[in-house]
Amino acid sequence: MKITPVILSGGSGTRLWPLSRKSYPKQFVNLIGAHTPFQASARRLTSANGLTFAPPLVLTNADFRFIVTEQLADAGLAPGAILIEPEGRNTAPAVLAAALHVAASDPDGVLLVAPSDHDIPDSKAFHDAVTRGLEAVAEGKLVTFGISPDRPETAYGYLELSTQPDGSGAPIALSRFVEKPDASGAAEMLAAGNYLWNAGIFLFAARDILAAFETHAPALVEPTRAAVAAAQADLGFLRLAPAPWSTVEEISIDYAVMEKARNLAVVPFSGHWSDLGGWDSVWREMEPDARGVVAGDRTTAIDCRDTLLRSESEHLEVVGIGLEGIMAIAMSDAVLIADMREAQQVKKAVTALRAKEARQATHFPKDHRPWGWFESLVTGPRFKVKRIHVHPGGRLSLQSHFHRAEHWIVVEGTAQVTVGDQVHLVSENESVFVPLGIKHRLENPGRVPMVLIEVQTGAYVGEDDIVRYDDMYARGQGERG
C-alpha cells in the first residue's frame, strides 16, 4: 500500500519570534540539527521500515513555494504535487483540498497528514505507529496520533481515550478532544493515564475523509472542490482557484470534522516528539547541560541556570551573567529577552510590534527569493546598501525602477549583467552602474554562488519600486510577485 504524505506548511510560528517570522517561518529555519523542521518532516515521510510513501504533497502559500522546492532539493527529495493556497484558511480546507486531489486519481488512496514543524527524531518508531494505524484505516477509521505525555503540559490539546493504553501501541477508540488545560487540569490528566497529547497528525483513506466532510462539514466541500477543479498549473505548482477558495470557512480539521466523527481511532506514540511550539521547547530539544544551560555559537554563559542563549548573527556575541530561567535570542535586527516561563506569550510581542508597524514583526532580515536571497546592510533617507546572493543558475527578472539607480560590485563569483541592450560578464572586484529607469537583469551563469554588493540611490528605495518585464519564475508585479 502506497501512502501519500500531506505536509501542511503555511504557518507563521509567531511564538518563535524573532527567528520565525511571517516572511520566513519556523518550518524553514534551522532550529535544531542539520535540517530544517520542514526538511526533517519530508525525510521522515519517505519509504522505509516496510512502508511505501509517494512523493510528498505539500500545501503552502505563494510566498513559500520556491522555498519548499529549494529545501526539498537540498534534502535530496523530489516533491509530488505542491498546492498553493491563495490565502490561509486553516487546516480543514487544506486537508480537504489534498484529499480531493488524491481521490481524483485514487479514491482509496491513503493520506498521512502531518505538520511541517514537528520534531520526531526516531523515524522507525513513528513508522511502526503508522503501520499500526493502517490496521484501523483498513476498517474505515479516521486515525489520529496521540503522544504519551511526560509532564503536565498546558500548551497542548489532549485526546481522552476510551481505555488506558496497554503499551502495545494498538489503536484505541477516542472518547473526546480536550482543549488546552490549565496547570491543575493538565496534572489531573497526566495522573489519569488515559489522556494523550494531540499531535495533529492524521491517517485515513481519501474516500473516508471525504465522506466525513460531506457528513460533518458539507459547507466546505463545494467551494473547496471548485477551487481544486479550477486549479491552474504554474511552473510545477498547482494554484488553487482564488475565487471559490475565498468563500471557504477558515476552520481547523479538529473543529470541522474530527470532534464530530464517530469512527475515530487513536494510535498512542511513546517515542520522542515535540511541536517546537516555543523557545522553551527548543531549549528542551537542544539538551541543556547539567546547569540547564543551552549556549549556542557566539554566546557565553557565566554562572547561569536554566537559560537559553542564542545568537543568529555572525556579528553579535551574546553574553549572559547570573541569569536564571531566561531566554535571550539575538538577530541582526531584533533581540528577544524573556522569562522562560513566558515562552508561550512571545506572540504578544509580535502583535505589539505589528501595532507600531515595525518591520521586524513580520519580515526576516534575509529576504528569500527563488534565485537566492538578499539582506539590507544599511539604509538611509536616499540610499540602501544590500548584499545579494544568487544561486548557480539563478536569474533575476528583467526589470526597471522609477525612483532609484543601482551600483553593483561583484565580490564573489561572476555575474552576467544586462543593462539596456548590453550584456556582459562582471567578475570579482568589478562593478557596473544601472541608471534610473533602464531595463536590467542580473544572473549567475556559474557553478558557484555569486555575491554582490548593491548600492541603491534615489528618492525612494522600497522593494515595491519594481516593474518586471520577463521572469523565469513566472512571478507577477509587486515586491515578491
Side-chain angles (χ1 to χ4, degrees):
M1 177 187 299
K2 181 175 289 187
I3 303 170
T4 298
V6 177
I7 303 178
L8 306 180
S9 191
S12 57
T14 54
R15 288 177 293 176
L16 284 171
W17 185 89
L19 184 56
S20 174
R21 308 189 195 181
K22 182 179 179 181
S23 69
Y24 203 70
K26 67 173 181 173
Q27 59 265 32
F28 300 123
V29 300
N30 283 95
L31 287 170
I32 56 174
H35 296 96
T36 69
F38 173 76
Q39 290 174 316
S41 296
R43 287 166 58 89
R44 187 183 313 123
L45 302 178
T46 56
S47 300
N49 304 310
L51 293 177
T52 302
F53 288 100
L57 188 162
V58 180
L59 284 105
T60 190
N61 63 46
D63 287 347
F64 303 154
R65 65 195 189 276
F66 294 109
I67 299 174
V68 164
T69 54
E70 179 181 323
Q71 292 211 348
L72 287 174
D74 287 346
L77 301 173
I82 299 177
L83 273 56
I84 307 300
E85 299 177 81
E87 54 186 303
R89 309 305 288 170
N90 214 317
T91 55
V95 172
L96 177 55
L100 288 166
H101 180 80
V102 170
S105 58
D106 183 8
D108 295 315
V110 174
L111 289 73
L112 177 59
V113 179
S116 60
D117 52 4
H118 290 186
D119 179 42
I120 307 176
D122 190 344
S123 293
K124 183 181 185 306
F126 179 69
H127 287 177
D128 290 344
V130 172
T131 299
R132 293 191 293 271
L134 290 173
E135 300 171 6
V137 170
E139 299 172 356
K141 299 289 182 62
L142 307 178
V143 174
T144 186
F145 293 82
I147 309 301
S148 300
D150 58 7
R151 62 185 183 276
E153 180 61 67
T154 60
Y156 303 148
Y158 284 70
L159 305 170
E160 182 182 2
L161 308 182
S162 59
T163 61
Q164 287 199 14
D166 61 7
S168 69
I172 302 173
L174 175 71
S175 292
R176 66 184 178 110
F177 287 81
V178 181
E179 296 291 337
K180 296 176 182 178
D182 58 19
S184 61
E188 290 173 3
M189 286 187 283
L190 179 64
N194 65 320
Y195 290 85
L196 304 178
W197 291 335
N198 182 4
I201 302 173
F202 304 100
L203 182 70
F204 36 62
R207 185 188 305 277
D208 295 327
I209 191 61
L210 292 178
F213 271 102
E214 292 280 5
T215 300
H216 304 295
L220 298 177
V221 176
E222 286 310 314
T224 305
R225 179 178 283 122
V228 173
Q232 296 291 317
D234 176 10
L235 292 180
F237 306 106
L238 196 61
R239 290 180 177 268
L240 301 176
W245 189 257
S246 68
T247 68
V248 177
E249 180 185 1
E250 184 174 345
I251 187 171
S252 73
I253 184 70
D254 284 355
Y255 287 147
V257 172
M258 296 302 174
E259 293 188 0
K260 302 171 184 176
R262 292 294 173 262
N263 60 330
L264 259 67
V266 180
V267 173
F269 181 71
S270 58
H272 187 75
W273 170 89
S274 173
D275 72 340
L276 300 175
W279 284 114
D280 54 340
S281 297
V282 174
W283 169 73
R284 278 191 293 269
E285 297 307 301
M286 294 183 70
E287 300 180 355
D289 66 16
R291 296 176 61 86
V293 173
V294 171
D297 295 337
R298 300 176 297 277
T299 70
T300 302
I302 301 172
D303 296 331
C304 295
R305 297 185 66 87
D306 301 329
T307 290
L308 169 63
L309 301 181
R310 185 161 176 152
S311 172
E312 300 297 329
S313 170
E314 59 190 77
H315 306 296
L316 286 175
E317 182 77 15
V318 176
V319 180
I321 302 176
L323 302 179
E324 184 168 355
I326 295 297
M327 52 190 190
I329 295 89
M331 298 192 68
S332 60
D333 64 339
V335 178
L336 170 69
I337 303 173
D339 190 313
M340 190 79 75
R341 293 170 297 182
E342 301 297 323
Q344 298 302 311
Q345 305 305 317
V346 171
K347 57 187 176 182
K348 291 183 178 179
V350 178
T351 300
L353 290 171
R354 283 176 175 164
K356 63 190 291 186
E357 298 183 351
R359 181 178 175 84
Q360 290 92 333
T362 55
H363 286 71
F364 205 69
K366 286 184 179 179
D367 208 322
H368 291 260
R369 294 291 193 266
W371 43 261
W373 54 265
F374 68 84
E375 61 179 336
S376 297
L377 304 177
V378 182
T379 301
R382 293 180 60 89
F383 74 92
K384 180 184 290 186
V385 180
K386 293 162 60 175
R387 174 167 60 172
I388 299 178
H389 176 112
V390 185
H391 299 318
R395 188 185 197 198
L396 281 67
S397 61
L398 182 65
Q399 58 187 252
S400 66
H401 310 291
F402 289 111
H403 302 289
R404 70 175 185 256
E406 296 174 342
H407 303 255
W408 292 340
I409 305 169
V410 176
V411 295
E412 292 182 31
T414 299
Q416 180 170 300
V417 173
T418 300
V419 180
D421 296 330
Q422 302 296 313
V423 180
H424 57 282
L425 296 177
V426 180
S427 300
E428 291 182 13
N429 300 317
E430 295 181 341
S431 63
V432 65
F433 173 62
V434 181
L436 183 150
I438 298 298
K439 291 182 181 180
H440 59 279
R441 190 201 298 274
L442 177 67
E443 52 194 300
N444 180 1
R447 297 178 178 272
V448 297
M450 184 272 291
V451 180
L452 61 81
I453 302 300
E454 176 181 88
V455 180
Q456 302 175 358
T457 58
Y460 178 73
V461 291
E463 293 301 327
D464 55 347
D465 177 20
I466 182 172
V467 179
R468 291 190 179 91
Y469 303 96
D470 176 67
D471 182 38
M472 67 182 287
Y473 307 107
R475 295 170 294 172
Q477 301 300 329
E479 180 177 338
R480 285 180 172 266

